[in-house]
Amino acid sequence: MNVNAKGDLIARAIALGLGTPSFEVTTQGPPHEPTFRVTVRVGGEVLGPGGEGRSKKDAERTAAEAALQALDGGTPATEGRWPIYSAVLAEALEVAADFAPDDTSLDEVRVRAAQLYRDLLRDLGHGPEGDDEA
């Protein structure tokens, strides 16, 4: 179980140039015993099978874990998207954290890691065709 699956998914989606994922929540069952169902969308498309839980937080975590697995199981490159190389992304996060000032927020570290990851892949010619983002 990844306790920060939602944050990891957000960081990876941003690093890949997919934008920020949205989490759509529906509730089923009686008010005293609800079941939450979460669907993850990235770029308007459903990513993974979603997640279910007894709390909204658990359902979001489960859905984020499933979306991360969907990203890992996908083909390395898809049209208009950045490929996912988990080891490279992990190293970019580590480097960004190592070089960040002590007062840097986690979100700032994630953004810097995303920039490092994209710059490296762009330099190696592994980015999507026609991507001109800086």
Side-chain angles (χ1 to χ4, degrees):
M1 173 173 64
N2 179 347
V3 294
N4 191 29
K6 186 175 177 180
D8 291 348
L9 175 61
I10 291 168
R12 187 176 304 174
I14 290 170
L16 296 172
L18 303 175
T20 304
S22 65
F23 295 80
E24 299 172 358
V25 181
T26 58
T27 307
Q28 300 172 356
H32 67 281
E33 198 175 346
T35 299
F36 296 89
R37 176 93 178 123
V38 175
T39 301
V40 177
R41 290 187 183 274
V42 178
E45 296 180 29
V46 174
L47 182 61
E52 208 170 272
R54 304 303 277 161
S55 71
K56 180 180 169 185
K57 184 176 181 176
D58 285 345
E60 286 178 338
R61 180 189 43 75
T62 303
E65 286 175 349
L68 285 166
Q69 286 179 339
L71 286 174
D72 287 340
T75 56
T78 58
E79 185 178 333
R81 296 187 179 179
W82 287 89
I84 300 166
Y85 300 107
S86 299
V88 177
L89 184 57
E91 286 297 319
L93 283 166
E94 189 171 320
V95 167
D98 287 347
F99 286 96
D102 290 339
D103 62 342
T104 304
S105 73
L106 183 56
D107 286 337
E108 292 170 327
V109 170
R110 287 178 177 153
V111 168
R112 181 64 185 133
Q115 292 167 342
L116 290 170
Y117 181 78
R118 288 173 54 157
D119 290 348
L120 176 61
L121 293 184
R122 183 180 288 121
D123 290 347
L124 295 171
H126 289 273
E129 295 294 321
D131 185 316
D132 295 328
E133 281 185 51

